[in-house]
Amino acid sequence: MYQNHFGLKEQAFSIAVNPRYLYMSQQHKEALAHLLYGVKEGGFVMLTGEVGTGKTTIIRCLLEQLPKQTEIAIILNPMANILELLCTICDEYAIEYNSKNITIKSITDLLHQHLLSNHTRGKNTVLLIDEAQLLSVEVMEQIRLLTNLETATQKLLQIVLVGQPELNELLSQPQLRQLSQRITARFHLTPLTVSETQSYISHRLRVAGMQDMAPNPFGPKMVKRIHRFTGGVPRMINVLCERALIGAYGQNKSCVDNAIFKLAKKEVEGNRESTLINKKSHPYLIYSALSACGIIGLAVIFVITHILFGSKPNDTITMVTAESAQPIRPIIREPALAPANVSDPEPEGRTNNTSRYDIENNIAAQVVLFKHLNFDINTDTHPCWQLNTQGFACSKTKLETWEEIIALNRPVVLSLINSKKFRSYAVLIGVQGEKALVIDGKNKRQIITLEELGPLWTGNVFYLWKKPKDYSEPLGLGSSNATVAEIAAQFALLDAQPTPLTKRRYNKALKERVTIFQREHQLTADGILGERTLMKLNEALGLSTILEKDFL
């Protein structure tokens, strides 16, 4: 199909994991080196990164470079209790056990025997757990206990934990401090820079068969637009570039221009407002329909169009979308309130108690929140990627009570599900007594009761916070980096002291100050600089917008 048009032998931007296409940026090389080092040295190794940054591809590359005398168990779905996880590990190692009469002790003993047997035969044993952020504290602690299986000179089991950034937050909990201290190598993957994005795209085209002298369909300006929209996340780059190449092929062009980019961007976004409303042809969309549905499927589309719009057999159709240059507009349920003498039926999926203030679109709700926080959002890209470059982090968590919302003390997006199981969102900016202050999609403030809002809230919240420069994981005693220096300077400012407690290394003096601060603000007083402690420090310094508490 389009591959021949660009001189390619295969799809250059398939999202399937293929180590051949691994683009080894400097940070990817370091990540792989950390994993290889950890596997050889024993104990725990940890790799974290946002969705789509290339963790799985690096794992595949790691597996190809493991020594021959290595037995590895890979756990891809760790959402299990302790006994189930231990049984899964035994299954991966082909360890036989009696499933009708099994306990944690008996299965651990079997694992120990297997590890000793491998050690005697000169084999290394590795356990790799993907999506490790899904593990419970109890299961994580049991995994730590597995590393106690050792000889006088070395560990019998090497464990690799791979997960999203939430894994760092999980390991910052006091119950897991022993496990956290045993991590011998850790690495956090970040999105690609603009220059790395250019190299990444060229690398994949080259691996797919494009000749060195052939023109690159993605020029420097287009690469910048791709980076701005995708935030440098490789998976998003793949999806967008794939659709853009299909579009260029459909229009018989050798490079991707702005018009093709906008159409590809719209398709990647999955604009739900798109409807079949026009008979005007567009080669890109006709090709997309053909590749997705085949000749028969396209014929069916033409028949349906003929029935709905009266088109003639030689008419063509297109998928017409809203202009991509327009800003993101919140999709708001209009008020379903009617005069007392009118009894119009309520629209399906809508309830009276959410028709006034809830927002159907998650991104739209986030934009409303960011505007409240006085951020100017460029809607060409995801708002969180945009704000991340300005030193802010988007976070999600699950809370259970309004007291926890008040303790968080910052405006949030609440995830709601109404009585008919339709999902929507509310932007909460204040709590006073039994009342909540929210902003609707038109940036109008409304006061509602917590009793009305509570049954709809799922417990999921989204919020924004200012993170220190280069912060990627919780910091504890012995850490040494620019983040420690920044935090020490902030405490000096808070305490009106002329000099910080440390220049760069997290020392005992700083830990004691952090512990006192945590105790004063009803946080876990463990001396670890995690997200909640940093958020409270921002609040104490007046660097964050807090919930309004006097609006009645």
Side-chain angles (χ1 to χ4, degrees):
M1 303 293 275
Y2 78 84
Q3 288 92 325
N4 292 334
H5 180 73
F6 292 103
L8 305 175
K9 297 178 181 178
E10 56 191 26
Q11 283 181 276
F13 298 99
S14 170
I15 61 173
V17 177
N18 187 341
R20 275 201 312 123
Y21 281 88
L22 176 61
Y23 167 67
M24 295 299 287
S25 68
Q26 185 59 39
Q27 68 159 342
H28 286 84
K29 292 177 183 177
E30 292 177 9
L32 183 57
H34 273 71
L35 294 181
L36 287 170
Y37 166 80
V39 166
K40 293 177 182 178
E41 293 299 317
F44 282 93
V45 189
M46 187 169 78
L47 174 66
T48 57
E50 284 290 353
V51 175
T53 49
K55 299 187 298 295
T56 304
T57 307
I58 288 180
I59 290 172
R60 294 287 179 87
C61 200
L62 168 70
L63 297 179
E64 291 184 350
Q65 297 188 33
L66 287 175
K68 291 183 178 179
Q69 289 296 96
T70 300
E71 183 180 22
I72 185 166
I74 302 176
I75 309 298
L76 299 177
N77 184 16
M79 294 185 67
N81 59 39
I82 295 173
L83 191 56
E84 288 173 344
L85 182 65
L86 291 175
C87 289
T88 303
I89 295 172
C90 284
D91 292 338
E92 287 290 312
Y93 289 134
I95 300 173
E96 295 184 0
Y97 58 90
N98 183 359
S99 59
K100 296 181 179 179
N101 183 22
I102 193 168
T103 64
I104 292 176
K105 182 182 183 305
S106 64
I107 200 78
T108 303
D109 289 342
L110 288 173
L111 275 169
H112 195 183
Q113 293 171 14
H114 184 76
L115 295 174
L116 282 172
S117 175
N118 278 353
H119 176 68
T120 303
R121 290 180 291 163
K123 294 182 67 174
N124 293 326
T125 311
V126 178
L127 171 63
L128 190 151
I129 302 177
D130 199 5
E131 302 294 347
Q133 77 280 355
L134 300 176
L135 292 169
S136 66
V137 172
E138 294 76 17
V139 172
M140 193 72 87
E141 178 62 13
Q142 181 62 41
I143 291 171
R144 179 188 70 82
L145 295 176
L146 292 179
T147 61
N148 289 339
L149 306 177
E150 58 187 353
T151 66
T153 58
Q154 71 177 85
K155 297 286 186 184
L156 297 180
L157 181 65
Q158 289 80 44
I159 299 178
V160 180
L161 299 176
V162 181
Q164 297 171 24
E166 291 82 357
L167 178 58
N168 286 315
E169 197 67 25
L170 174 64
L171 292 175
S172 70
Q173 299 186 39
Q175 307 95 302
L176 296 176
R177 62 185 180 278
Q178 292 188 62
L179 188 155
S180 186
Q181 292 169 2
R182 293 191 183 189
I183 296 176
T184 56
R186 61 177 78 200
F187 197 91
H188 180 75
L189 283 174
T190 58
L192 303 177
T193 63
V194 175
S195 61
E196 287 173 338
T197 300
Q198 174 74 70
S199 300
Y200 175 81
I201 292 173
S202 299
H203 169 77
R204 293 193 71 100
L205 289 170
R206 201 160 44 245
V207 173
M210 180 171 284
Q211 300 299 314
D212 292 338
M213 301 301 294
N216 192 321
F218 300 98
K221 291 185 179 180
M222 183 53 59
V223 169
K224 289 182 180 179
R225 296 196 69 181
I226 291 171
H227 181 269
R228 187 165 60 247
F229 175 71
T230 63
V233 176
R235 186 178 300 164
M236 288 295 295
I237 296 172
N238 288 353
V239 174
L240 183 63
C241 288
E242 179 75 5
R243 305 315 301 168
L245 288 181
I246 292 174
Y249 166 74
Q251 296 191 29
N252 198 29
K253 293 183 177 180
S254 60
C255 64
V256 176
D257 57 24
N258 290 338
I260 293 172
F261 171 80
K262 288 181 180 180
L263 287 168
K265 174 171 166 278
K266 278 294 181 185
E267 187 163 329
V268 171
E269 286 176 335
N271 191 334
R272 297 181 181 180
E273 295 181 6
S274 303
T275 51
L276 289 167
I277 59 175
N278 202 312
K279 300 178 183 180
K280 188 177 180 180
S281 174
H282 197 297
Y284 164 55
L285 295 159
I286 295 297
Y287 174 80
S288 297
L290 179 59
S291 61
C293 306
I295 298 295
I296 296 177
L298 190 58
V300 172
I301 292 174
F302 274 106
V303 170
I304 294 174
T305 306
H306 174 71
I307 295 172
L308 293 176
F309 302 103
S311 54
K312 298 175 183 179
N314 60 346
D315 286 338
T316 53
I317 62 172
T318 184
M319 189 77 74
V320 177
T321 65
E323 290 294 325
S324 60
Q326 293 179 351
I328 296 175
R329 292 191 299 269
I331 307 172
I332 309 298
R333 290 187 174 97
E334 294 298 330
L337 303 178
N341 60 345
V342 177
S343 57
D344 292 332
E346 177 134 70
E348 182 178 356
R350 187 180 297 176
T351 62
N352 282 327
N353 61 347
T354 62
S355 60
R356 296 167 298 173
Y357 56 79
D358 68 324
I359 304 172
E360 289 182 348
N361 185 286
N362 187 20
I363 297 298
Q366 292 177 18
V367 170
V368 171
L369 173 65
F370 297 148
K371 286 184 178 179
H372 170 70
L373 299 175
N374 296 317
F375 287 104
D376 184 17
I377 300 299
N378 180 349
T379 57
D380 282 345
T381 184
H382 193 293
C384 284
W385 297 334
Q386 201 175 146
L387 291 170
N388 187 58
T389 62
Q390 302 177 35
F392 291 88
C394 294
S395 289
K396 297 178 183 178
T397 190
K398 192 173 184 69
L399 305 176
E400 295 183 356
T401 65
W402 295 119
E403 286 81 3
E404 290 177 292
I405 290 281
I406 294 170
L408 190 65
N409 200 23
R410 61 190 52 236
V412 298
V413 175
L414 303 177
S415 178
L416 311 178
I417 294 182
N418 66 23
S419 59
K420 293 187 177 181
K421 302 304 179 184
F422 283 86
R423 185 178 295 280
S424 59
Y425 304 87
V427 180
L428 176 73
I429 65 169
V431 176
Q432 183 178 353
E434 298 294 322
K435 302 289 185 178
L437 180 63
V438 299
I439 306 179
D440 64 18
K442 297 179 180 178
N443 292 310
K444 293 182 179 180
R445 297 180 169 216
Q446 298 192 43
I447 298 174
I448 60 175
T449 65
L450 296 180
E451 182 180 4
E452 177 182 343
L453 187 59
L456 307 176
W457 177 36
T458 65
N460 293 319
V461 299
F462 168 95
Y463 56 90
L464 187 73
W465 67 287
K466 175 69 173 176
K467 65 176 182 178
K469 185 179 180 181
D470 299 328
Y471 174 80
S472 62
E473 61 186 14
L475 302 171
L477 193 64
S479 299
S480 180
N481 54 33
T483 300
V484 175
E486 181 178 343
I487 297 305
Q490 289 182 343
F491 272 111
L493 179 64
L494 183 66
D495 299 334
Q497 295 297 316
T499 57
L501 293 170
T502 182
K503 291 184 177 180
R504 189 177 177 86
R505 187 173 181 80
Y506 197 126
N507 57 18
K508 289 183 178 180
L510 181 58
K511 181 181 178 181
E512 290 176 2
R513 181 64 186 94
V514 171
T515 303
I516 293 171
F517 179 82
Q518 291 171 329
R519 193 175 296 118
E520 289 173 345
H521 292 83
Q522 292 77 51
L523 300 171
T524 302
D526 55 9
I528 296 176
L529 277 169
E531 180 178 321
R532 292 295 177 90
T533 300
L534 294 172
M535 287 167 58
K536 279 298 176 184
L537 182 56
N538 286 342
E539 184 182 325
L541 291 168
L543 300 177
S544 58
T545 301
I546 62 175
L547 285 174
E548 296 185 26
K549 301 178 181 66
D550 186 17
F551 52 83
L552 294 178

